[in-house]
Amino acid sequence: MICLDPFCVAIWLSAEELSKIDPANVNMQIRDGAALRASLVLSLTEKTEEKNCHLLLLKVEKAKCHQYNPVSHFVLFYYLLRNKTSKYKERETISALYSYPRNVIVVSYKDDTYFNIFPMDIQGYIPGSDLYLLGLRTTNITLEKILNTKKLVVCDTDTIDVKTIYSLGKHLSAAPPKVEELPFKTINSELFGFPVPDLIGSYHEIEIIRHQKMGYHMLLVGRIVNTTKLKTDTASLYHIGYLEYKKSSYREAFQDVY
Ligand SMILES: Cc1cc2nc3c(=O)[nH]c(=O)nc-3n(C[C@H](O)[C@H](O)[C@H](O)COP(=O)(O)O)c2cc1C
């Protein structure tokens, strides 16, 4: 997932994998073993070649969750998960896209006059290359600054607790807290000198090589210029949809965060 409005995904494939599909007609299935969890119909908007991979950007045309029978499914989406800000189809699309556990990361950005640190889960590392994709809201004031300097640091969430992650997500980018006001100690990243939490296991320093407005989110394509591992055996928080959580054996990391 790379944008929420419109719903878009990015798929990266090797030349061999690409030769086996028709990129113009992609049906994507998310499975847990043999169990089908979600299916999506996607339409191609762009195909580019990056280092060692073909990157497809696709719009979600249809999405369906398969965790529950049709009656429970309808009751869940129409009544129980109802909210003022989304329509039935949007709720189902988000739920389908969050049937796949989404790794939560922390992004740090700093320049001479500004510092911000915030969580993201619309992101992905492209294995086998040194590329990293991020979908950042166009309302986030840090975005313009990142595009000016083309630098950011991506950290794992290793031993950072969920309340802290949500507190970082609640700060407005217009007035983020100062480094000394953060609820954890920081160390400076090796290359850029951006503050990163001392609770993390590793971080990537990234240079943005391309960006593209998808809608509500800007797609940032970055190249990893340095990776620093501070610990071994690290863990991470993941974000998953309610339906998938109910049908899975994932452990809940918290309760009553709000
Ligand atoms: C768990 C979690 C994941 C998030 N993931 C993203 C993300 O992938 N992209 C994004 O733009 N904002 C994400 N946010 C929100 C940002 O952390 C940040 O609060 C927001 O971009 C600030 O924008 P604003 O200043 O326009 O309010 C996430 C927040 C939380 C708590």
Side-chain angles (χ1 to χ4, degrees):
M1 182 170 77
I2 215 67
C3 181
L4 286 174
D5 183 15
F7 290 106
C8 297
V9 299
I11 299 177
W12 45 90
L13 301 165
S14 65
E16 197 197 338
E17 287 166 334
L18 182 64
S19 70
K20 291 181 185 156
I21 66 156
D22 172 9
N25 292 300
V26 178
N27 291 306
M28 187 163 90
Q29 294 188 340
I30 299 172
R31 291 178 175 272
D32 182 1
L36 179 62
R37 300 303 213 186
S39 54
L40 299 113
V41 177
L42 310 170
S43 66
L44 184 69
T45 56
E46 200 184 301
K47 182 160 76 75
T48 51
E49 204 176 332
E50 308 286 349
K51 198 182 157 201
N52 299 336
C53 80
H54 293 266
L55 185 65
L56 311 183
L57 301 181
L58 307 109
K59 198 163 152 239
V60 178
E61 300 293 347
K62 282 187 203 157
K64 183 137 191 55
C65 293
H66 298 273
Q67 289 95 340
Y68 284 84
N69 68 48
V71 175
S72 308
H73 181 97
F74 179 78
V75 173
L76 272 161
F77 283 112
Y78 196 79
Y79 294 104
L80 300 178
L81 299 175
R82 189 181 199 129
N83 61 45
K84 284 183 192 146
T85 54
S86 68
K87 299 191 182 109
Y88 184 101
K89 266 285 136 207
E90 291 166 349
R91 290 195 283 280
E92 180 153 18
T93 306
I94 290 183
S95 195
L97 289 166
Y98 277 89
S99 295
Y100 185 88
R102 313 197 64 81
N103 192 10
V104 177
I105 53 140
V106 172
V107 168
S108 172
Y109 172 82
K110 188 173 176 283
D111 59 31
D112 292 345
T113 55
Y114 183 88
F115 163 67
N116 197 4
I117 186 161
F118 52 91
M120 287 185 74
D121 64 5
I122 304 179
Q123 55 85 37
Y125 166 63
I126 303 188
S129 78
D130 51 7
L131 296 180
Y132 210 103
L133 306 183
L134 300 120
L136 188 54
R137 286 181 205 169
T138 46
T139 54
N140 191 321
I141 285 173
T142 323
L143 173 62
E144 202 189 316
K145 299 174 189 296
I146 292 172
L147 293 179
N148 280 339
T149 62
K150 307 255 186 292
K151 286 179 190 170
L152 57 82
V153 178
V154 163
C155 312
D156 68 23
T157 48
D158 194 32
T159 57
I160 311 183
D161 65 84
V162 181
K163 275 193 178 165
T164 303
I165 291 290
Y166 272 86
S167 72
L168 295 178
K170 275 186 195 152
H171 297 132
L172 296 179
S173 53
K178 297 198 176 87
V179 186
E180 354 18 299
E181 292 164 357
L182 292 171
F184 43 75
K185 291 199 181 105
T186 60
I187 51 172
N188 286 341
S189 72
E190 227 170 286
L191 218 58
F192 301 159
F194 291 3
V196 297
D198 70 346
L199 302 164
I200 62 170
S202 66
Y203 62 83
H204 297 299
E205 293 180 274
I206 293 175
E207 264 173 21
I208 302 305
I209 52 172
R210 184 160 86 80
H211 64 278
Q212 185 167 332
K213 192 165 188 282
M214 305 296 293
Y216 185 46
H217 288 82
M218 180 75 78
L219 168 66
L220 302 175
V221 181
R223 191 169 62 85
I224 298 171
V225 290
N226 174 47
T227 297
T228 299
K229 283 197 188 304
L230 302 163
K231 298 180 205 162
T232 50
D233 289 338
T234 54
S236 179
L237 292 167
Y238 284 80
H239 216 171
I240 58 167
Y242 178 77
L243 270 67
E244 186 58 24
Y245 165 66
K246 282 292 181 194
K247 288 285 170 172
S248 69
S249 54
Y250 295 117
R251 277 188 302 121
E252 193 169 356
F254 69 100
Q255 278 174 331
D256 303 330
V257 161
Y258 292 103

